[in-house]
């Protein structure tokens, strides 16, 4: 893994705890994370003290009913939100305390996110979308590499098409190809198979499993589908903002 933007900061010495000279090797380390949404006079406690460590190379499924805090947790992992209390460390670094430019650099280069609704540029072809995504992640690729990335997910014949010309399943595969083209250290996916038929969902999951096996990409996948979660190494279950189960699937 190449972190070229900056060296990880040294661990701060905390008055109450030991000072550890080694950089944290876990991809994510969350301690007592609380997230409260406040809107007017309504307060929603979405996460109520979450401790979670994700090691390098894991494929973790986050499960739980609607409203249990899955997306909130994923947004904190992505560094697109900050905890109300507690800490979220990414490779030993607290994204919430970084300045905007440093955080954007780390997020853009190391963290890939795929949502249910895809973030493809509508005016660009798939090939151009893939190249743009790789370029934005600081790892530009040429047209031939972008084409072969699309071929690997069965979209080679669609390289010249715009997103709107594709089916939902194809768009989801294209969005995933774009994110993977940036070769992120960690891939976060929020219910990306939720709107797909089972065949398309199977193809998308296979892509995730392939990249996980081939590149050791750390993957955190939010789903409420048992069949999807069964493909993960580990299932973390949330209920009412708390982790109620966390275990290996084999
Ligand atoms: P999940 O992804 O598991 O369905 P979420 O993390 O989206 O759950 O939501 C957890 C709780 O936080 C829910 O009660 C939800 O209504 C609330 N919530 C989520 N996002 C916001 C927000 N931006 N403002 C206020 N409440 C929110
Ligand atoms: Mg959600």
């Amino acid at each position: 893994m190449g972190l070229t933007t900056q060296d990880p900061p040294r661990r701060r010495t905390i008055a109450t705890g030991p000072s550890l000279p080694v950089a944290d090797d876990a991809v994510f380390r969350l301690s007592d994370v609380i997230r409260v949404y406040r809107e007017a006079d309504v307060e929603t406690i979405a996460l109520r003290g979450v401790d979670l460590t994700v090691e390098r190379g894991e494929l973790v499924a986050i499960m739980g009913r609607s409203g249990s805090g899955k997306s909130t947790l994923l947004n904190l992992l992505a560094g697109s939100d900050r905890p109300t209390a507690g800490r979220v460390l990414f490779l030993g670094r607290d994204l919430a305390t970084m300045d905007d430019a440093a955080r954007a650099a780390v997020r853009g280069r190391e963290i890939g996110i795929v949502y249910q609704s895809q973030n493809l540029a509508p005016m660009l072809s798939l090939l151009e979308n893939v190249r743009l995504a790789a370029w934005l992640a600081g790892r530009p690729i040429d047209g031939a590499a972008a084409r072969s990335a699309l071929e690997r997910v069965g979209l080679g014949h669609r390289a010249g098409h715009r997103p709107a010309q594709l089916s939902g399943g194809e768009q989801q595969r294209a969005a995933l190809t774009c994110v993977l083209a940036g070769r992120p250290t960690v891939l976060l996916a929020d219910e990306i198979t939720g709107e797909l038929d089972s065949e398309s969902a199977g193809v998308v999951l296979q892509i995730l499993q392939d990249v996980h096996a081939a590149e050791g990409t750390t993957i955190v996948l939010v789903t409420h589908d048992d069949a999807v979660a069964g493909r993960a190494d580990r299932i973390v279950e949330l209920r009412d903002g708390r982790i109620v189960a966390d275990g290996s699937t084999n």
Side-chain angles (χ1 to χ4, degrees):
M1 209 264 332
L3 264 185
T4 55
T5 45
Q6 62 176 130
D7 292 327
R10 284 173 193 272
R11 226 168 221 274
R12 276 171 299 167
T13 307
I14 302 161
T16 53
S19 150
L20 301 175
V22 285
D24 195 333
D25 205 38
V27 174
F28 291 110
R29 200 180 288 281
L30 279 63
S31 44
D32 205 12
V33 167
I34 293 170
R35 178 64 169 101
V36 181
Y37 294 108
R38 289 193 181 89
E39 277 182 313
D41 52 354
V42 181
E43 214 173 63
T44 306
I45 310 177
L47 295 176
R48 300 171 183 265
V50 166
D51 294 306
L52 177 71
T53 300
V54 176
E55 302 291 351
R56 210 173 271 267
E58 278 195 296
L59 201 179
V60 183
I62 309 282
M63 294 199 77
R65 289 198 195 123
S66 180
S68 58
K70 304 183 299 296
S71 294
T72 299
L73 178 58
L74 210 73
N75 290 337
L76 290 169
L77 297 180
S80 55
D81 186 23
R82 293 165 194 227
T84 308
R87 275 209 313 184
V88 177
L89 298 184
F90 172 66
L91 298 174
R93 294 164 299 181
D94 188 343
L95 293 179
T97 63
M98 290 177 144
D99 65 51
D100 289 349
R103 183 172 54 251
V106 171
R107 293 184 62 211
R109 217 180 142 80
E110 310 296 337
I111 304 177
I113 313 164
V114 203
Y115 296 101
Q116 194 167 61
S117 56
Q118 305 81 27
N119 26 9
L120 296 164
M123 302 304 285
L124 300 181
S125 70
L126 290 198
L127 189 95
E128 290 163 341
N129 264 284
V130 171
R131 292 195 66 192
L132 175 65
W135 183 80
L136 286 172
R139 299 184 173 100
I141 57 176
D142 63 18
R147 185 173 293 276
S148 68
L150 286 165
E151 279 163 4
R152 277 198 296 279
V153 301
L155 290 175
H157 62 301
R158 297 293 218 167
H161 290 159
R162 289 185 185 176
Q165 298 174 285
L166 308 181
S167 72
E170 288 173 329
Q171 287 183 19
Q172 194 54 276
R173 267 186 278 162
L176 195 49
T177 307
C178 286
V179 172
L180 292 173
R183 303 212 325 276
T185 302
V186 49
L187 180 79
L188 306 175
D190 196 351
E191 307 260 20
I192 60 170
T193 59
E195 284 177 1
L196 304 182
D197 59 63
S198 60
E199 194 186 333
S200 297
V203 174
V204 165
L205 286 173
Q206 193 58 51
I207 296 167
L208 290 180
Q209 285 186 303
D210 289 348
V211 72
H212 179 243
E215 319 225 0
T217 307
T218 306
I219 300 177
V220 181
L221 179 73
V222 164
T223 182
H224 54 239
D225 182 337
D226 288 328
V228 172
R231 305 250 207 147
D233 306 328
R234 175 180 166 199
I235 299 177
V236 172
E237 193 187 340
L238 280 176
R239 192 178 303 155
D240 294 333
R242 286 195 180 88
I243 292 178
V244 292
D246 182 351
S248 138
T249 54
N250 36 47

